[in-house]
Amino acid sequence: MNKTKLMAHLVAGYPTKEIALTVARSLVKGGADILEVQLPFSDPSADGPAIQTACTKVLENGFKTKDGLEFIVQIHKEFPETPIYIMSYGSLIYTPGVENFCRMASEAGVSGMIIPDLPFDHDEGLTASCKKYGMINIPVAAPSMSDERLKKLATAGFPYIYAALRTGITGSDTKIDEATLSFLKKVSEGGSKVYGGFGISNGKQSKALASSVDAIVAGSVFVRLIAENQNDEKLLAKKIEEKAMELCSL
């Protein structure tokens, strides 16, 4: 089967640790090449209602950063060949110290970090700390960036850049048009590989993106499936696996 690469997003511990593990297994079974694990945060500014609600629920359960890292350890143990990226926010990794956090993440089996609110050129030492511990920092490019700033990011030498396909928050549907493809071309012009996400929920969108990105990124679509099917774990596993297969099939 021809496929495009899929980075699948899940919130650590949502709605419970056990169900989150079932979701991770189903995503890998469905063809996800990379797991983007979000550490819940109280003010997830780039996330839409589905992920915000998920984060709130997990935090209400008393979930801590160490629980997220333990969750990642377990996934990495089961799927050592599947890269795991942490997605979170600056204050969460700044609190224990950026270098200290990167060391802990690396020891847990993390391959890369996506921290949307740390700009690529003022990242509090994140890129250097990732490098020190064998990980990559994956900065975020947005269509709202000026051409000058976008070019600066594109030519800064990052191995990968996460391209947010539109401005605003995640979750609502994204139209893949000529402007989207032009933006992706600008992001990749310095030689960085590009991950493209924000509002990707169906195979039609992923097919439209496939030739312009190294991997498509999907998150809210899985979080919504969890919210709708969390009381039937077997059905949930099936739906997650099927959605992953749809998104990465060409």
Side-chain angles (χ1 to χ4, degrees):
M1 177 185 78
N2 288 332
K3 72 184 289 292
T4 188
K5 283 172 71 175
L6 169 65
M7 185 200 297
H9 173 286
L10 66 158
V11 177
Y14 176 69
T16 65
K17 180 184 174 184
E18 292 72 26
I19 294 176
L21 284 169
T22 295
V23 169
R25 291 168 186 140
S26 300
L27 288 168
V28 174
K29 192 175 178 184
D33 302 272
I34 303 161
L35 293 178
E36 180 191 17
V37 178
Q38 178 161 350
L39 299 182
F41 183 62
S42 56
D43 185 23
S45 55
D47 296 306
I51 293 176
Q52 284 187 21
T53 301
C55 285
T56 300
K57 182 175 174 60
V58 176
L59 291 171
E60 285 172 352
N61 291 340
F63 201 85
K64 300 282 191 287
T65 297
K66 69 176 180 60
D67 300 311
L69 292 173
E70 287 168 8
F71 175 73
I72 288 169
V73 167
Q74 186 158 352
I75 299 173
H76 181 60
K77 199 176 288 183
E78 289 190 35
F79 306 105
E81 303 304 313
T82 302
I84 299 171
Y85 297 157
I86 279 179
M87 182 265 154
S88 198
Y89 291 88
S91 64
L92 192 144
I93 67 164
Y94 190 76
T95 301
V98 173
E99 183 172 336
N100 186 38
F101 186 92
C102 286
R103 177 186 55 77
M104 293 189 296
S106 176
E107 289 171 356
V110 173
S111 300
M113 305 278 285
I114 302 170
I115 312 296
D117 59 344
L118 284 185
F120 71 96
D121 48 356
H122 293 89
D123 68 3
E124 305 291 346
L126 179 61
T127 299
S129 294
C130 282
K131 192 172 183 180
K132 180 174 180 178
Y133 292 104
M135 302 185 297
I136 53 172
N137 177 30
I138 304 160
V140 177
S144 56
M145 283 180 163
S146 67
D147 284 346
E148 182 185 7
R149 184 159 178 76
L150 186 56
K151 185 164 187 172
K152 187 180 176 187
L153 169 56
T155 56
F158 289 97
Y160 293 90
I161 296 173
Y162 184 123
L165 299 176
R166 54 173 170 72
T167 54
I169 55 175
T170 61
S172 50
D173 204 41
T174 296
K175 185 182 177 189
I176 311 302
D177 55 18
E178 285 305 314
T180 309
L181 300 179
S182 173
F183 167 64
L184 289 170
K185 192 173 181 181
K186 289 177 186 176
V187 176
S188 64
E189 71 177 15
S192 301
K193 292 183 177 179
V194 178
Y195 298 133
F198 257 53
I200 302 303
S201 61
N202 60 63
K204 184 179 178 183
Q205 290 169 306
S206 56
K207 286 179 179 68
L209 283 172
S211 62
S212 300
V213 298
D214 186 66
I216 61 135
V217 187
S220 295
V221 62
F222 296 122
V223 174
R224 285 193 290 267
L225 284 174
I226 296 168
E228 292 163 6
N229 300 281
Q230 59 186 292
N231 295 324
D232 186 339
E233 205 166 327
K234 194 172 179 182
L235 178 62
L236 172 62
K238 180 173 180 283
K239 285 184 175 287
I240 293 284
E241 184 182 342
E242 287 174 349
K243 179 54 71 173
M245 289 176 69
E246 176 195 340
L247 289 168
C248 60
S249 298
L250 284 176

